[in-house]
Amino acid sequence: MGSSAEVRTQAQAAAPATERVNDFTIQVATVNGTGSQSSNNVLMRAIFQMGVPVSGKNMFPSNIKGLPTWFAVRLSKDGYVARRKELDVSVCMNPKTARKDLAWLEPGGLCVYDAPLALEGVRSDVRYLGVPFAKLMERIPNADNRLRTLLVNMAYVGVLAELLRIEEAEIERALGKQFKSKPKAVSLNMQAVKLGAEYARGHFQGACGYRVERMQATAGKIIVDGNTAAAIGALLGGCGVLAWYPITPSSSLCEALIDLAGKYRVEPESGLKTFAAVQAEDELASIGMVLGAAWAGARAMTATSGPGISLMSEWAGYAYYAEIPAVIVDVQRAGPSTGLPTRTQQADLLQVYYLSHGDTKQLCVIPGTVQECCELTAAAFDFAERFQAPVFVLSDLDLGMNNWMSDPFPYPERPLDRGKVLTEERLRELAKQGKPYYRYEDADADGIPYRTLPGNAHPDAAFLTRGSGHDWKGQYTEDPAEYRHNLDRIARKYETARAALPAPVLEGDLEAEVGLLAFGSTHAAVLEARDRLDAAGVPTAYLRLRALPPHAEVEAFVRRRRVVYLIEQNRDAQMKTILKSELPPELAPRLKSILHYGGMPIDARTVVEAVRAGEGGS
Amino acid sequence: MSAPGKPKANRIGLPREAYTGGPSTLCPGCGHDSITNEIVAAFFELGIPPHRVAKFSGIGCSSKTPGYFLSRAQGLNGTHGRMPSVATGANLANRALKPIGVTGDGDTASIGLGQFCHLLRRNVELVYVIENNGVYGLTKGQFSATADLGSEHKSGGVNQQTPIDCCRLAIEMGCGFVARGFSADRAQMVELLKAALNFPGTALIDAISPCVTFNNHPSSTKSYAYVKAHEIVLHEVGFVEDAAPLPDPKLAPGETRELELHGGARIRLKKLAADYDPTRRLGALQALEEAEGGGAVLTGLLYFDASRKPFAEQCRLVETPLAGLPSESLRLPREALNEIMADLM
């Protein structure tokens, strides 16, 4: 190869004639552990503050230092927040992946790279700016090498700000938010931003083809990850005990909850807490603690991921049969086994829905947005106590760990529903009416029995909770009729729950003969795909499931369609398996699967292409 | 009075029957049934209202026993080896309950060894009774992890694995109340239970409880005959409830020693044959090691240290049980949500 100066003049795409405004994707490729996360957050937030809809996807390895990591910021003037595979602006900082990263760039794209990587000339259909980041950072006085390495990340933000016209004041504001308590860090980072911007100003000629322009589409919105949202939901739901074991991608939920509880569940004078958090020795213990706390009358939860769910299986069956409330958030990651711990999937459905041995079926709620992560986690506590059963919140890594734009969460208007609990006083009244209390009696013909809490002094109150066979009085039994009587009542309880859990959401062209059926984090991609399919002449009706057992509305939805594309992020079409077992057999053939399970979040294009192929289009 | 000197009702006016449970379905002569009676006696004598008690157990013969005592207390017969986690959660939810857990050597030393250790590390308030017979009874006679090295199985097998001494393990794990009892030594067991029920933290009683069906043969160190022949009682244990009791006039100075429990209650240890200081950790471990080597069974209060905070206090919980908090205290206030939302904008 010739000198870099020659390459630069020879192998660069011409300056574009038009500019893409507020509708492109930036990807930053760095080495894990070099501190790029805060600068990526600042980049995303600065664009958000300019009123432009953004979403961020952090694609990180199961590693603390050294492996490659990517962060993608999508700008969408139309408000789409799903992952977009196509990359327009690429910041290549990682020598190990730079060539591949560059290969992914769309023709006409912009590549900002660390100068020693000498990427120019690798492709001639993109534009380049090589930046000698390390050298540039030497101009920051009083900084050691470690600090300078960190500041490089802010320097690429400065380069992008200059090239894409992100307002410097908004970067400074975003930095202020990032380093709340450290004003010195803000000014230091701003020096790096300015050096980056200055370098870009002096070394890049003409327009780069992409521009951020102020809009008014994010006013009043928040940016939050689903795990933080669920933590907020837990406190709105009145959670009092958290027991957990660290596991990606659910740890940040528990940590956020502990932080929030540390602020909002402390009595100001005494400093004593109304919230207990236990880091347990394993997931067997965390679910055991949750059940102990819930049995004693507190609202309790745990959060975990697939491997933890496997360990909780035994207690989940106990809670189902002994009828103890529990809230279990499963932030799903890619399996099987250890799988891809830092990648997303919706592949725990079958395991969770049927969790534990024997005839068990579990109640699940499935949030599709960060707002629902909050709302459904809060509601899960009501469902758990109302149905005296474990309630699983099926989130996933994409929803849980990525940053999403959302409307602020509304305050719940309904009071907490503590379910059927008989107090001492109520037992006295019942005794007066000649009605003795029995733990597993179906007194209201809805399958839901009444419970009493430990500490209740009434002589009728006490019973021994057990996972062994019991009759409607709570007594041990091996009698077939008594055993079945109780088991059938629990089945009735689940039918009551089916109708009471969050109903599916129907949208789109309600008359369309083509249906889209999805759930969870797939929602964002489906919304975007629906618009594109509409534009391509394929109108669709869209039903989003939000709970298991599936609501009766699912059947009505499928019955009205010629075909229903069931979109899921797993290999085995797990939701289809569940629905096929619950729908009338003649409807099952109408379900066609669109499956996405590589570990990256699903994008709209995947859905559009699959539906168009299925509909005979191109 | 049918039994002179024994009151029919305790100090809260309840008869002994208020502390009993359903009929036992264990084998006649089972050591566990004696312990059940000892538990009834301890609660009755302490005058604890039964509804303030929470009973926990795992799986196995021993774990059935919460059905046989204090039927007016709520209980949870859980899963195999996982009783400690349930008791931990319940304690965090309601500190006002007096919790007792009954498990066996299979529950504790095999499937639940992890939870047992972590319970002790946390010092969760709980009386933890191991009904230790060295054998799996309910599944018909397999060796447990406390079975003696070299002991013989009914079908001829010999145990070649070293037994786990739950008391030594408990001392290692930081447990501050470690006792060993014998189901047939009622007086000692009742006093140990009463003291344990007043200990601020996890109080472990490893109760040797012979299995008459599968492990009562002469080669078993968990048989009635063996324990009776080899038991070394470290001291006479007495539970003293009042804050300022008078010393027993019959005892010479230096013959008794008192250890402080909760709220002024004390354990009074009356010296027997040799000196034994239960506040010395290394001494306790050494005594257990030496006893094992000599084939002796030490009973009594092996180790005592009340200096650690119980778990609920480590968690800095409010005095009011979390389970009793009203909805207003549980749900995040509207202003707090607004504040959080503003921060995310």
Side-chain angles (χ1 to χ4, degrees), chain A residues 45 48 177 180 220-224 228 232 235-241 260 263-265 267 270-282 284-286 288-299 314-315 318 324 382 407-416 418 452-459 461-468, chain B residues 51-57 59 63-68 70-95 97 111 114-119 121-122 311 313-320 322-345:
Chain A
R45 190 159 264 287
F48 170 78
K177 208 155 172 102
K180 246 175 248 164
K221 304 256 186 202
I222 59 168
I223 290 185
V224 70
T228 302
I232 297 165
L235 288 183
L236 288 171
C239 178
V241 176
L260 289 169
K263 191 166 176 193
Y264 295 111
R265 294 290 286 274
E267 295 202 330
S270 63
L272 297 176
K273 296 175 185 172
T274 57
F275 185 93
V278 194
Q279 187 185 315
E281 54 270 35
D282 54 33
L284 298 157
S286 40
M289 290 174 193
V290 168
L291 295 182
W295 172 81
R299 291 198 148 186
E314 183 188 34
W315 272 128
Y318 183 96
I324 303 176
D382 283 356
D407 285 324
F409 307 152
Y411 195 76
E413 294 307 327
R414 284 202 313 208
L416 300 182
R418 302 303 307 260
T452 52
L453 299 178
N456 186 324
H458 195 277
F463 60 94
L464 185 66
T465 303
R466 57 173 97 236
S468 49
Chain B
H51 72 274
R52 304 300 320 168
V53 179
K55 307 177 289 184
F56 301 98
S57 65
I59 293 290
S63 291
K64 290 179 160 205
T65 64
Y68 313 148
L70 271 76
S71 57
R72 284 181 61 181
Q74 297 260 22
L76 193 149
N77 171 207
T79 58
H80 202 11
R82 324 287 179 214
M83 182 274 274
S85 57
V86 180
T88 303
N91 179 244
L92 293 174
N94 191 345
R95 295 172 65 184
L97 296 171
I111 191 167
Q115 292 210 353
F116 174 61
C117 292
H118 289 279
L119 174 87
R121 284 184 60 232
R122 292 191 181 97
F311 189 52
E313 268 180 47
Q314 292 168 37
C315 293
R316 296 191 48 74
L317 292 187
V318 290
E319 280 295 327
T320 319
L322 299 184
L325 292 173
S327 294
E328 313 81 87
S329 314
L330 292 176
R331 173 168 276 171
L332 193 71
R334 194 180 291 268
E335 314 77 67
L337 180 66
N338 292 342
E339 190 177 76
I340 295 167
M341 289 301 111
D343 194 46
L344 294 168
M345 275 178 191

Side-chain angles (χ1 to χ4, degrees), chain A residues 41-123:
Chain A
N41 285 341
V42 166
L43 175 67
M44 179 172 166
R45 190 159 264 287
I47 298 167
F48 170 78
Q49 285 164 190
M50 286 177 69
V52 181
V54 279
S55 58
K57 298 278 181 233
N58 191 8
M59 286 151 283
F60 60 106
S62 179
N63 162 264
I64 299 300
K65 258 186 197 321
L67 287 182
T69 182
W70 295 269
F71 184 80
V73 184
R74 177 182 184 185
L75 291 75
S76 169
K77 59 181 168 31
D78 301 317
Y80 296 127
V81 292
R83 171 174 171 238
R84 185 171 165 269
K85 269 194 275 201
E86 300 79 7
L87 301 175
D88 305 295
V89 178
S90 191
V91 179
C92 301
M93 304 298 288
N94 186 347
K96 288 200 178 120
T97 64
R99 301 243 157 179
K100 237 181 174 175
D101 295 336
L102 181 57
W104 286 342
L105 200 55
E106 290 288 294
L110 171 67
C111 172
V112 173
Y113 66 91
D114 191 15
L117 298 177
L119 292 179
E120 268 173 59
V122 175
R123 277 175 68 176

